[in-house]
Amino acid sequence: MENQRHRILAAVADVCHAAGYVSMSVEDIVVTSGVSRRTFYDNFRSKEDVYLAAYDEVTKQLLERVYAAYAEADGLVARVRDSLNAFLTFVAEEPAFADMCIVEVMAAGPNAIERRNQTMAAFAEMIEKAAADELPKSKLPPALTAETLVGGIYEVVYSRVLQGRGAELPELLPDLLFSVVLPYMGQETATSLLKNERRRSKPKAGKQADS
């Protein structure tokens, strides 16, 4: 039964990726997962119910990766860089999950959007905590800063995923890192970090071209 449930949840991502949430039907999910309609309704009440379960499962995996990267890093810059890199890499490597959770969530109704908002709030809280752990209170920007930054990053990611360019997202790490660090550590530090991160990324690009 657990295996069938996972097959159904995986099918939601595949169908959302191929057809979109609005066009997705229970029949599509049943056919794609290879389970019976009875099995589907033994586990889920409706299309919305199974979508929310799939969204919760994927975001759980995503947050586990991001939290792990955050916990292993030391300092504001390293924590932001490593957790942001974990997020961008996950989205790039899982296009169906990315489509379902970043693009199609906007069409899946108020309950889905509320879950999206909770996920974004979790990212903002990580930035706030990393900053509060390193900077004196007098140096912290307004509380709305982290929320604004996460919203901007979401729009950048949303547009790439919508255009089928999710694989490009890890390349944006230096610029996104600059945007996050700027209001907390200032222009000089953020600019120096941007240059260093771009230099770090160039050898990787060269190796990929050689291969």
Side-chain angles (χ1 to χ4, degrees):
M1 287 296 294
E2 188 64 21
N3 179 55
Q4 290 177 329
R5 179 181 173 85
H6 282 302
R7 283 163 57 190
I8 293 169
L9 295 180
V12 173
D14 290 338
V15 176
C16 267
H17 185 50
Y21 178 83
V22 172
S23 297
M24 179 175 72
S25 67
V26 169
E27 184 64 24
D28 294 330
I29 298 167
V30 166
V31 171
T32 302
S33 63
V35 304
S36 67
R37 290 182 68 88
R38 178 174 179 177
T39 298
F40 177 91
Y41 284 110
D42 283 343
N43 287 274
F44 304 103
R45 297 186 301 275
S46 63
K47 178 175 87 168
E48 180 186 22
D49 186 38
V50 72
Y51 175 87
L52 295 176
Y55 181 92
D56 288 345
E57 180 63 30
V58 172
T59 52
K60 178 185 174 184
Q61 294 176 30
L62 170 60
L63 288 171
E64 284 175 352
R65 285 201 198 182
V66 173
Y67 283 141
Y70 180 96
E72 292 172 7
D74 184 27
L76 173 60
V77 171
R79 284 176 173 175
V80 172
R81 180 202 300 118
D82 293 356
S83 56
L84 186 55
N85 183 58
F87 168 68
L88 296 173
T89 300
F90 183 90
V91 173
E93 291 178 347
E94 303 287 354
F97 289 165
D99 219 16
M100 180 185 75
C101 292
I102 294 174
V103 176
E104 295 304 321
V105 66
M106 302 303 294
N111 290 328
I113 292 174
E114 177 58 27
R115 278 168 162 78
R116 182 208 70 146
N117 293 344
Q118 291 171 1
T119 303
M120 293 172 69
F123 290 138
E125 287 170 8
M126 280 191 287
I127 295 174
E128 291 175 341
K129 184 178 186 309
D133 287 347
E134 182 163 326
L135 302 176
K137 192 172 182 179
S138 61
K139 297 291 186 181
L140 292 173
L144 194 62
T145 301
E147 183 180 342
T148 303
L149 291 168
V150 171
I153 291 171
Y154 177 87
E155 289 301 321
V156 169
V157 173
Y158 177 94
S159 66
R160 269 62 175 187
V161 173
L162 183 63
Q163 296 168 31
R165 297 166 54 201
E168 301 173 11
L169 287 170
E171 301 170 13
L172 304 183
L173 177 62
D175 296 66
L176 293 177
L177 181 58
F178 171 87
S179 299
V180 176
V181 170
L182 179 62
Y184 293 96
M185 305 191 75
Q187 179 75 38
E188 185 176 347
T189 299
T191 300
S192 176
L193 179 61
L194 176 63
K195 292 177 181 177
N196 291 337
E197 289 299 316
R198 285 178 173 172
R199 279 196 293 266
R200 280 171 49 140
S201 65
K202 280 183 180 178
K204 295 179 182 178
K207 288 180 181 178
Q208 289 174 354
D210 292 341
S211 61

